[in-house]
Coordinates of all heavy atoms in Angstrom, one line a residue:
T60 N -5.2 2.1 6.0 CA -3.8 1.9 6.4 C -3.2 0.6 5.8 O -3.9 -0.2 5.1 CB -3.7 1.7 8.0 OG1 -4.4 0.5 8.3 CG2 -4.4 2.9 8.7
A61 N -1.9 0.4 6.0 CA -1.3 -0.8 5.5 C -1.9 -2.0 6.1 O -2.1 -3.1 5.4 CB 0.2 -0.8 5.9
E62 N -2.3 -2.0 7.4 CA -3.0 -3.1 8.0 C -4.3 -3.4 7.4 O -4.7 -4.6 7.3 CB -3.1 -2.8 9.5 CG -1.8 -2.8 10.3 CD -1.0 -1.5 10.0 OE1 -1.6 -0.5 9.5 OE2 0.2 -1.5 10.3
D63 N -5.0 -2.4 7.0 CA -6.3 -2.6 6.3 C -6.1 -3.3 5.0 O -6.9 -4.2 4.6 CB -7.0 -1.2 6.0 CG -7.4 -0.5 7.3 OD1 -7.7 -1.2 8.3 OD2 -7.3 0.8 7.3
L64 N -5.1 -3.0 4.2 CA -4.9 -3.6 2.9 C -4.3 -4.9 2.9 O -4.4 -5.7 2.0 CB -4.0 -2.6 2.1 CG -4.6 -1.2 1.8 CD1 -3.5 -0.4 1.0 CD2 -5.9 -1.3 1.0
L65 N -3.5 -5.2 4.0 CA -2.7 -6.5 4.0 C -3.5 -7.7 3.6 O -3.1 -8.5 2.8 CB -2.1 -6.6 5.4 CG -1.0 -7.7 5.5 CD1 0.2 -7.4 4.5 CD2 -0.4 -7.7 6.9
P66 N -4.7 -8.0 4.2 CA -5.4 -9.2 3.9 C -5.8 -9.3 2.4 O -5.8 -10.5 1.8 CB -6.7 -9.1 4.7 CG -6.4 -8.2 5.8 CD -5.4 -7.2 5.2
L67 N -6.0 -8.2 1.7 CA -6.4 -8.2 0.3 C -5.2 -8.6 -0.6 O -5.4 -9.0 -1.8 CB -6.9 -6.9 -0.1 CG -8.3 -6.5 0.5 CD1 -8.7 -5.1 0.1 CD2 -9.4 -7.5 0.1
L68 N -4.0 -8.5 -0.1 CA -2.8 -8.9 -0.9 C -2.8 -10.4 -1.2 O -2.1 -10.9 -2.1 CB -1.5 -8.5 -0.2 CG -1.2 -7.0 -0.2 CD1 -0.1 -6.7 0.7 CD2 -0.9 -6.5 -1.6
E69 N -3.6 -11.2 -0.5 CA -3.7 -12.6 -0.7 C -4.6 -13.0 -1.8 O -4.5 -14.1 -2.3 CB -4.1 -13.3 0.6 CG -3.3 -13.0 1.9 CD -1.9 -13.6 1.8 OE1 -1.7 -14.5 1.0 OE2 -1.0 -13.1 2.5
D70 N -5.4 -12.1 -2.3 CA -6.4 -12.4 -3.3 C -5.6 -12.6 -4.6 O -4.8 -11.8 -5.0 CB -7.4 -11.2 -3.4 CG -8.6 -11.6 -4.3 OD1 -8.4 -11.9 -5.5 OD2 -9.7 -11.6 -3.8
E71 N -5.9 -13.7 -5.4 CA -5.2 -14.0 -6.6 C -5.4 -12.9 -7.7 O -4.7 -12.9 -8.7 CB -5.6 -15.4 -7.1 CG -7.1 -15.5 -7.5 CD -7.4 -16.9 -8.0 OE1 -6.5 -17.8 -8.0 OE2 -8.6 -17.1 -8.4
R72 N -6.5 -12.1 -7.6 CA -6.8 -11.1 -8.6 C -6.2 -9.7 -8.2 O -6.5 -8.7 -8.9 CB -8.3 -11.0 -8.9 CG -8.7 -12.3 -9.7 CD -10.2 -12.3 -9.8 NE -10.8 -11.1 -10.3 CZ -11.9 -10.5 -9.7 NH1 -12.4 -11.1 -8.6 NH2 -12.4 -9.4 -10.2
V73 N -5.5 -9.7 -7.1 CA -4.8 -8.5 -6.7 C -3.4 -8.6 -7.1 O -2.7 -9.5 -6.7 CB -4.9 -8.2 -5.1 CG1 -4.0 -7.1 -4.7 CG2 -6.4 -7.9 -4.7
L74 N -2.9 -7.6 -7.9 CA -1.6 -7.7 -8.5 C -0.6 -6.7 -7.9 O 0.6 -6.8 -8.3 CB -1.7 -7.4 -10.0 CG -2.5 -8.4 -10.8 CD1 -2.4 -8.1 -12.3 CD2 -2.0 -9.9 -10.6
G75 N -1.0 -5.9 -6.9 CA 0.0 -5.0 -6.3 C -0.7 -3.8 -5.7 O -1.9 -3.8 -5.4
L76 N 0.2 -2.8 -5.6 CA -0.2 -1.5 -5.0 C -0.4 -0.5 -6.1 O 0.5 -0.3 -6.9 CB 0.8 -1.1 -4.0 CG 0.5 0.0 -3.0 CD1 -0.6 -0.4 -2.1 CD2 1.7 0.4 -2.2
A77 N -1.5 0.2 -6.1 CA -1.8 1.1 -7.2 C -1.0 2.4 -7.0 O -0.3 2.6 -6.0 CB -3.3 1.5 -7.2
E78 N -1.1 3.3 -7.9 CA -0.3 4.5 -8.0 C 0.0 5.2 -6.6 O -0.9 5.6 -6.0 CB -0.9 5.5 -8.9 CG -2.4 5.8 -8.6 CD -3.0 6.8 -9.6 OE1 -2.3 7.8 -10.0 OE2 -4.1 6.6 -10.1
M79 N 1.3 5.2 -6.3 CA 1.7 5.8 -5.0 C 1.8 7.3 -5.2 O 2.9 7.8 -5.6 CB 3.0 5.2 -4.6 CG 3.6 5.8 -3.3 SD 2.5 5.9 -1.9 CE 2.3 4.2 -1.5
M80 N 0.7 8.0 -5.0 CA 0.6 9.4 -5.2 C 1.3 10.2 -4.1 O 1.7 11.4 -4.3 CB -0.9 9.8 -5.3 CG -1.5 9.3 -6.5 SD -3.3 9.8 -6.6 CE -4.0 8.8 -5.3
N81 N 1.4 9.6 -2.9 CA 2.0 10.4 -1.8 C 3.5 10.4 -2.0 O 4.3 9.8 -1.2 CB 1.6 9.8 -0.5 CG 1.9 10.7 0.7 OD1 2.6 11.7 0.5 ND2 1.4 10.3 1.8
M82 N 4.0 11.2 -3.0 CA 5.4 11.3 -3.2 C 6.2 11.9 -2.0 O 7.2 11.4 -1.6 CB 5.7 12.1 -4.4 CG 5.2 11.6 -5.7 SD 5.5 12.7 -7.1 CE 4.5 14.1 -6.7
P83 N 5.6 13.0 -1.4 CA 6.3 13.5 -0.2 C 6.4 12.5 0.9 O 7.4 12.4 1.6 CB 5.4 14.7 0.3 CG 4.7 15.1 -1.0 CD 4.5 13.8 -1.8
G84 N 5.4 11.6 1.1 CA 5.4 10.5 2.1 C 6.5 9.5 1.8 O 7.2 9.1 2.7
V85 N 6.7 9.2 0.5 CA 7.8 8.3 0.2 C 9.1 8.9 0.5 O 10.0 8.3 1.1 CB 7.7 7.9 -1.3 CG1 8.9 7.0 -1.7 CG2 6.4 7.1 -1.6
L86 N 9.3 10.1 0.0 CA 10.6 10.8 0.2 C 11.0 11.0 1.6 O 12.1 11.0 2.0 CB 10.6 12.1 -0.6 CG 10.4 11.9 -2.2 CD1 10.4 13.3 -2.8 CD2 11.4 11.0 -2.8
A87 N 9.9 11.3 2.4 CA 10.2 11.5 3.9 C 10.2 10.3 4.7 O 10.5 10.3 5.9 CB 9.1 12.5 4.4
G88 N 10.0 9.1 4.1 CA 10.1 7.8 4.8 C 8.9 7.7 5.7 O 9.0 7.1 6.8
D89 N 7.7 8.2 5.3 CA 6.5 8.0 6.2 C 6.3 6.5 6.5 O 6.3 5.7 5.6 CB 5.3 8.6 5.4 CG 4.0 8.5 6.2 OD1 3.4 7.4 6.1 OD2 3.7 9.4 6.9
E90 N 6.0 6.3 7.7 CA 5.9 4.9 8.2 C 4.8 4.1 7.5 O 5.0 3.0 7.1 CB 5.7 4.8 9.7 CG 5.7 3.4 10.3 CD 5.6 3.4 11.8 OE1 5.9 4.5 12.4 OE2 5.2 2.4 12.4
Q91 N 3.6 4.7 7.4 CA 2.5 4.0 6.7 C 2.8 3.8 5.2 O 2.4 2.7 4.7 CB 1.2 4.8 7.0 CG 0.4 4.4 8.2 CD -0.1 3.0 8.1 OE1 -0.6 2.6 7.1 NE2 0.0 2.2 9.2
V92 N 3.3 4.8 4.6 CA 3.6 4.7 3.2 C 4.6 3.5 2.9 O 4.4 2.7 2.0 CB 4.1 6.0 2.6 CG1 4.7 5.8 1.2 CG2 3.1 7.1 2.6
L93 N 5.7 3.5 3.7 CA 6.7 2.5 3.5 C 6.1 1.1 3.9 O 6.5 0.1 3.2 CB 7.9 2.8 4.3 CG 8.7 4.1 3.9 CD1 10.0 4.2 4.6 CD2 8.9 4.2 2.4
A94 N 5.2 1.0 4.8 CA 4.7 -0.2 5.2 C 3.8 -0.8 4.1 O 3.9 -2.0 3.9 CB 3.8 -0.1 6.5

């Protein structure tokens, strides 16, 4: 989940979020995807 990933965003060697494959989730405004 977004909550699982959040702490790792602080790591200096983490540059972002990898390929957002869940296109239907993005287009439908899925809460976890948008988070």
Side-chain angles (χ1 to χ4, degrees):
T60 67
E62 291 73 20
D63 294 325
L64 297 176
L65 193 59
L67 291 176
L68 288 170
E69 303 293 340
D70 193 300
E71 64 181 3
R72 288 170 53 227
V73 170
L74 297 185
L76 194 64
E78 51 183 315
M79 177 48 72
M80 293 180 289
N81 191 351
M82 297 179 295
V85 174
L86 300 180
D89 178 272
E90 184 175 343
Q91 268 295 316
V92 169
L93 297 189

